[in-house]
Amino acid sequence: MEKKLWGGRFKESTNKLVEQFTESVSYDKRLAPFDIAGSVAHVRMLAKQGILSKEEADRIVEGLHKVLEEVESGKFEWKTELEDVHMNVEKRLTELVGPVGGKLHTGRSRNDQVATDVRLYVRHEIEEVLKLLKELRRAFLKQAEEHIDVVMPGYTHLQIAQPVLYSHHMLAYYHMFKRDEERFRDTLKRVNVSPLGSAALAGTSYPLDREFTAELLGFEGVTRNSMDAVSDRDFVAETIFNCAMVMMHLSRLSEELIIWSTEEFGFIELPDAFCTGSSIMPQKKNPDVSELTRGKTGRVYGDLMAILTILKGLPLTYNRDLQEDKEPLFDALDTVKMALKVNALVVAGMKPKAERMREQARKGFSLATDLADYLAKKGMPFREAHRVVGELVAYCLDTGKELDQLTLEEFKRFSDLFGEDVLSLMSVEGSVNSRNVIGGTAREQVLKEIERIKSEESF
Ligand code: ARG
């Protein structure tokens, strides 16, 4: 019977099914580079503190670098019976450098080790997500800049409401993904602290310099309670929540792109390279990327529910349940990264159909609010103006006209306050440009906002 690294007190070897049930190496092996980085820092610190000799530390570090090379070149032989990434790395280290490898784990437990690995991994992944979020924001900004003259209907309840600039609509998404960035950056503060030195749960009797290890690993500080440190996975839940929020935003975008690219709307043309065909209907061009983004949002929500549920009943401190944090975490990050990448390309490649959008922007009595405001500005109480314009809309419905087709004579039938100037007011551009407040859709405001964004972000 081959002994486990922890096998001293055991008389029987582990049941094969139990090995399969309890292993995590099949998925946590992706943590190897972080595990090794954490071990190198730990060993350097042990040497600095005189707990290991300089020679011992050097041999271990050299061995760890060899292990990393094997991992990166794909030569490393992962073994299920060694349970997880930590045991696999340590076992191989000892094969390479001999018994001195056994000194690596001095003053450390897998409990603070795995917490460290996951924090380093999450920090790395958040940096990746931040880059991808920026790419996506850049694509929205570019759309906004390039199509500043395109007017489209703005909707509430998916009913035509008021004309808006397509650029304004694009910048609405810019802001969602900007908030997502802020959320990830905020999470990073709580991710980037070192649990090393917490050991199994109570700290350690070795004179470790926790701050030194933290510094070597680029952590901003050290955790302040060893029991919390080995059982805290709040940062995992937060990270998955942030991913879920990004996916929710992408899913809303997807829903709009799907609707906009229908024959019925015809607002945009999606790039061919990002659509797929039908095996039976030759004419079809389907927005599968958007549909799958919407679908994958469900799975990331599932990851969030999984981590919250895994954590909810855990007594302090470490429990093996915590091993289950990894698959939802990896899945959420993998999914969000792919979704961000592909959607940035979709957004960059889509083309608004300006004519069609403008045509629809006139419809649905989208200028009714402008008319009510017109009367109110001439002194009529807004509520009364609202009623008068409602009657005008009813008249249009009866006669099959749009508001911009009415004559001055017709307007006057509903109120004396209507004058010649009402006719020039009845244009979608006029309507858009009248909404000249900060955050409004007027061209002047949208152009200002584009400039503000460009001064804030280095695109
Ligand atoms: N594979 C474990 C995990 O992911 C590592 C920590 C194991 N610790 C322990 N005491 N069994 O959580």
Side-chain angles (χ1 to χ4, degrees), residues 22 24 28 83-86 109-111 114 233 318-320 322-326:
T22 56
S24 55
D28 70 13
E83 214 174 290
D84 57 23
V85 60
H86 324 293
S109 152
R110 268 190 296 163
N111 297 350
V114 69
R233 294 294 182 277
Y318 180 85
N319 298 271
R320 193 64 181 273
L322 289 174
Q323 180 167 296
E324 288 290 310
D325 64 349
K326 289 171 201 63

Side-chain angles (χ1 to χ4, degrees), residues 41-57 103 106 205-209 212:
H42 180 65
V43 167
R44 291 265 179 250
M45 181 276 295
L46 290 177
K48 178 181 98 68
Q49 296 301 92
I51 301 165
L52 294 192
S53 73
K54 172 92 174 61
E55 296 68 47
E56 287 171 328
K103 296 199 172 188
T106 311
S205 57
Y206 292 95
L208 303 190
D209 184 344
F212 182 73

Side-chain angles (χ1 to χ4, degrees), residues 22-250:
T22 56
E23 71 86 26
S24 55
V25 66
S26 56
Y27 51 87
D28 70 13
K29 60 183 175 206
R30 73 159 79 184
L31 296 177
F34 305 102
D35 190 72
I36 291 169
S39 291
V40 169
H42 180 65
V43 167
R44 291 265 179 250
M45 181 276 295
L46 290 177
K48 178 181 98 68
Q49 296 301 92
I51 301 165
L52 294 192
S53 73
K54 172 92 174 61
E55 296 68 47
E56 287 171 328
D58 285 347
R59 278 171 62 204
I60 294 174
V61 168
E62 202 183 307
L64 285 166
H65 286 145
K66 276 203 197 111
V67 176
L68 183 62
E69 264 171 49
E70 290 184 8
V71 170
E72 284 175 345
S73 64
K75 286 199 197 100
F76 193 94
E77 225 185 289
W78 297 100
K79 297 193 179 122
T80 310
E81 59 281 15
L82 289 176
E83 214 174 290
D84 57 23
V85 60
H86 324 293
M87 295 302 211
N88 269 270
V89 168
E90 192 181 322
K91 184 79 192 273
R92 182 67 188 133
L93 172 73
T94 309
E95 281 168 18
L96 288 169
V97 304
V100 69
K103 296 199 172 188
L104 163 63
H105 213 50
T106 311
R108 190 176 70 168
S109 152
R110 268 190 296 163
N111 297 350
D112 58 348
Q113 185 179 1
V114 69
T116 305
D117 292 10
V118 177
R119 284 172 184 274
L120 291 172
Y121 165 80
V122 169
R123 183 177 79 188
H124 174 266
E125 290 294 292
I126 289 181
E127 295 297 343
E128 293 299 299
V129 171
L130 290 176
K131 283 183 217 151
L132 295 170
L133 277 168
K134 187 165 178 180
E135 269 313 295
L136 179 62
R137 289 200 304 278
R138 196 225 299 264
F140 282 115
L141 185 72
K142 196 149 176 285
Q143 282 284 339
E145 272 191 294
E146 278 173 12
H147 304 285
I148 189 69
D149 291 317
V150 177
V151 177
M152 69 180 292
Y155 293 84
T156 59
H157 315 275
L158 203 54
Q159 307 283 326
I160 293 177
Q162 292 171 351
V164 292
L165 289 186
Y166 171 74
S167 303
H168 199 48
H169 202 129
M170 291 296 107
L171 292 188
Y173 281 102
Y174 169 89
H175 283 284
M176 294 180 221
F177 294 108
K178 184 68 186 169
R179 288 195 297 277
D180 288 336
E181 172 192 284
E182 288 165 11
R183 221 171 271 114
F184 272 110
R185 285 197 190 284
D186 196 64
T187 297
L188 212 40
K189 292 188 227 158
R190 286 172 292 282
V191 171
N192 205 19
V193 284
S194 175
L196 276 179
S198 304
L201 76 159
T204 176
S205 57
Y206 292 95
L208 303 190
D209 184 344
R210 295 192 59 204
E211 268 140 0
F212 182 73
T213 322
E215 207 182 301
L216 289 181
L217 290 169
F219 282 122
E220 288 289 331
V222 297
T223 54
R224 312 303 308 193
N225 180 297
S226 61
M227 295 179 77
D228 180 41
V230 295
S231 65
D232 168 27
R233 294 294 182 277
D234 293 5
F235 68 98
V236 173
E238 261 188 64
T239 299
I240 302 179
F241 172 79
N242 296 344
C243 291
M245 195 78 134
V246 171
M247 291 304 293
M248 181 273 283
H249 290 148
L250 285 174

